[in-house]
Amino acid sequence: AQKITQTQPGMFVQEKEAVTLDCTYDTSDQSYGLFWYKQPSSGEMIFLIYQGSYDEQNATEGRYSLNFQKARKSANLVISASQLGDSAMYFCAMREDILTGGGNKLTFGTGTQLKVEL
Amino acid sequence: DGGITQSPKYLFRKEGQNVTLSCEQNLNHDAMYWYRQDPGQGLRLIYYSQIVNDFQKGDIAEGYSVSREKKESFPLTVTSAQKNPTAFYLCASSKDRALILPQHFGDGTRLSIL
């Protein structure tokens, strides 16, 4: 089974609108972390936001927020007030429990290509 | 400014040839990682190192080798045993070995077969 699933290969959103990028994960660990990265066409990976499994509040960073639903094993990224510069590939990634040997690496999903339109 | 430098940006390999991708960081990070990215796919871990003179295989280590002789440097060699090396290679580092803190990435190297 895929550890990280991003079911939306591509998404379109109009400028200034909000958009939600889906991410579901699969782990039996109690302690884990979820990351979102942005990859523009130039290729570099830009860290956006992090959510720990024990964090009670949903993470927020500026226009980015993470809708963390632990029981559903989902960690959707919400981008508010989309801008043209948000057009990029977005990756969800998971770090599992270090005590079970998974804590020192990330597993990435296949990504969602977001296109922001005027 | 602190960061991760990957070189070269583009690299071409002939059949049967080994090539080495450079990754240097001045962030004083202990942990370093190499990922491979194929079109339409996410990143897959090749090798990682959490301390100098130590490294572990990731999910797709076959046909690759690494060294970690200095904290700042983590070069990746793509050997002739890697039959499909064409991909985008990303190097990353992390201050935190347990990955509570995010990884920082370089700008990548695009490797192609001649």
Side-chain angles (χ1 to χ4, degrees), chain B residues 16 34 39 46 66 78:
Chain B
W34 273 106
I46 304 172
V66 293
V78 184

Side-chain angles (χ1 to χ4, degrees), chain B residues 8-58:
Chain B
K9 195 172 180 70
Y10 299 94
L11 187 58
F12 298 92
R13 195 192 89 168
K14 295 180 181 178
E15 293 285 346
Q17 186 181 44
N18 292 355
V19 291
T20 297
L21 284 60
S22 171
C23 177
E24 303 277 333
Q25 55 99 359
N26 60 5
L27 298 166
N28 198 31
H29 286 175
D30 286 322
M32 296 187 74
Y33 309 80
W34 273 106
Y35 292 94
R36 170 180 172 141
Q37 186 178 24
D38 293 283
Q41 296 193 30
L43 279 65
R44 292 183 291 167
L45 183 66
I46 304 172
Y47 269 98
Y48 63 99
S49 168
Q50 295 194 301
I51 198 167
V52 174
N53 292 323
D54 187 50
F55 48 83
Q56 281 79 42
K57 293 181 179 180

Side-chain angles (χ1 to χ4, degrees), chain A residues 23-35:
Chain A
C23 173
T24 58
Y25 59 90
D26 182 26
T27 182
S28 56
D29 291 346
Q30 296 301 307
S31 174
Y32 52 89
L34 297 153
F35 298 80

Side-chain angles (χ1 to χ4, degrees), chain B residues 36 46-47 60-66 76-79 82 85 89:
Chain B
R36 170 180 172 141
I46 304 172
Y47 269 98
I60 55 165
E62 186 174 348
Y64 300 96
S65 66
V66 293
L76 173 74
T77 296
V78 184
T79 74
Q82 173 49 246
Y89 291 86

Side-chain angles (χ1 to χ4, degrees), chain A residues 35 37 39 91 95 103-104 109, chain B residues 33 37 42 50 98-100 103:
Chain A
F35 298 80
Y37 282 86
Q39 186 179 43
F91 290 98
R95 181 263 305 153
N104 44 25
Chain B
Y33 309 80
Q37 186 178 24
Q50 295 194 301
L99 288 177
I100 305 295
Q103 293 180 340

Side-chain angles (χ1 to χ4, degrees), chain A residues 31-94:
Chain A
S31 174
Y32 52 89
L34 297 153
F35 298 80
W36 276 92
Y37 282 86
K38 171 184 178 181
Q39 186 179 43
S41 57
S42 50
E44 75 271 26
M45 297 284 282
I46 302 166
F47 166 72
L48 297 178
I49 198 165
Y50 168 78
Q51 179 85 41
S53 58
Y54 291 120
D55 294 341
E56 294 184 353
Q57 303 278 348
N58 284 347
T60 61
E61 289 284 349
R63 294 187 298 111
Y64 303 108
S65 61
L66 203 152
N67 184 2
F68 182 47
Q69 298 189 36
K70 198 169 180 177
R72 292 186 175 186
K73 293 188 176 179
S74 75
N76 298 339
L77 177 70
V78 180
I79 305 174
S80 62
S82 297
Q83 301 171 357
L84 294 177
D86 293 334
S87 295
M89 186 74 108
Y90 289 80
F91 290 98
C92 180
M94 178 173 65

